[in-house]
Amino acid sequence: GAVVSQHPSRVICKSGTSVKIECRSLDFQATTMFWYRQFPKQSLMLMATSNEGSKATYEQGVEKDKFLINHASLTLSTLTVTSAHPEDSSFYICSARDPGQGEDNSPLHFGNGTRLTVT
Amino acid sequence: GQNIDQPTEMTATEGAIVQINCTYQTSGFNGLFWYQQHAGEAPTFLSYNVLDGLEEKGRFSSFLSRSKGYSYLLLKELQMKDSASYLCAVMDSNYQLIWGAGTKLIIKP
């Protein structure tokens, strides 16, 4: 089945530094990838839609200058949290659909997530 | 606005059956998904319903009634490893996923 790989799984960084999270589709090409954030005991919240070869689409309230998204190839999207602060500590998860599974309503395949802790 | 409702937490006994309900109000409908999420892990896909009725997949079944804006996930022969959060998500007319907050299922021996 379709596999999405996310790295790193855990990262601890100091306030003010930047952190890059990678998301790769291992056995399919993804023109679109989705970045979610999840706070404890809360639902997944879509942050942005990453589009290969073009600018990402950010959800309302998400700062595009703080959460930089680059989708440079059909198998890799990166999310960089710039000038991280403790309130950015969260679980970040990427996902993608396998175009080989058909329509826009095919299921999302998730990476294993990245637990970010900003001290 | 768009809204997905599911119970916050449920408790069931190993070997028993549990039904997790989900009601929704969305702008259009292009299907409903159920995902399982273990603590500290990413969600994994369980089921997809776009037509009314019951979809059975092993110990798990999912039901949909579009006219009622209602779905349930039925888990049979519960095992301890089924302890997890179960997320209901509806795809709206723009093919955007609207997520419920999840139902934490606790299985007791």
Side-chain angles (χ1 to χ4, degrees):
Chain A
V3 176
V4 175
S5 174
Q6 187 173 341
H7 178 81
S9 57
R10 291 180 183 272
V11 59
I12 301 173
C13 70
K14 292 187 176 180
S15 187
T17 61
S18 295
V19 173
K20 180 187 281 189
I21 303 170
E22 292 188 349
C23 181
R24 295 179 185 273
S25 55
L26 295 187
D27 51 359
F28 64 98
Q29 294 182 329
T31 54
T32 303
M33 291 186 175
F34 304 91
W35 287 95
Y36 287 88
R37 180 167 54 183
Q38 187 177 34
F39 292 106
K41 299 184 180 181
Q42 293 188 23
S43 182
L44 294 170
M45 294 195 62
L46 181 65
M47 298 175 67
T49 301
S50 169
N51 303 298
E52 188 270 335
S54 65
K55 291 182 179 180
T57 305
Y58 289 82
E59 296 300 303
Q60 193 171 8
V62 177
E63 300 174 57
K64 59 182 68 175
D65 293 332
K66 179 170 183 62
F67 298 99
L68 300 178
I69 290 175
N70 187 315
H71 195 149
S73 77
L74 287 171
T75 59
L76 174 64
S77 175
T78 61
L79 168 67
T80 302
V81 183
T82 63
S83 187
H85 290 284
E87 57 265 31
D88 298 324
S89 298
S90 187
F91 191 48
Y92 292 86
I93 316 173
C94 70
S95 66
R97 288 194 178 88
D98 179 356
Q101 292 183 340
E103 309 292 332
D104 288 336
N105 54 0
S106 59
L108 286 175
H109 300 280
F110 287 89
N112 286 330
T114 298
R115 176 76 57 193
L116 171 63
T117 303
V118 184
T119 61
Chain B
Q2 310 206 87
N3 194 48
I4 309 284
D5 284 316
Q6 51 182 132
T8 304
E9 187 173 297
M10 299 181 71
T11 302
T13 305
E14 189 177 15
I17 299 173
V18 71
Q19 177 175 311
I20 302 174
N21 296 325
C22 171
T23 57
Y24 62 90
Q25 291 176 306
T26 56
S27 304
F29 180 83
N30 276 304
L32 184 145
F33 297 83
W34 284 97
Y35 283 82
Q36 180 190 61
Q37 186 177 24
H38 284 100
E41 298 181 11
T44 55
F45 169 72
L46 289 179
S47 68
Y48 171 68
N49 294 70
V50 67
L51 300 176
D52 289 351
L54 188 68
E55 295 276 345
E56 297 188 72
K57 195 184 291 186
R59 294 189 298 115
F60 292 6
S61 303
S62 56
F63 171 83
L64 175 67
S65 168
R66 288 172 298 172
S67 62
K68 295 182 180 178
Y70 167 70
S71 173
Y72 67 72
L73 180 69
L74 191 72
L75 292 75
K76 303 176 184 176
E77 302 170 18
L78 285 170
Q79 301 174 10
M80 297 303 292
K81 67 179 182 178
D82 297 330
S83 292
S85 287
Y86 292 85
L87 308 177
C88 172
V90 173
M91 186 165 282
D92 68 11
S93 56
N94 294 319
Y95 292 95
Q96 298 295 314
L97 272 179
I98 313 300
W99 292 87
T103 298
K104 182 179 181 180
L105 177 63
I106 300 168
I107 309 297
K108 295 185 174 179

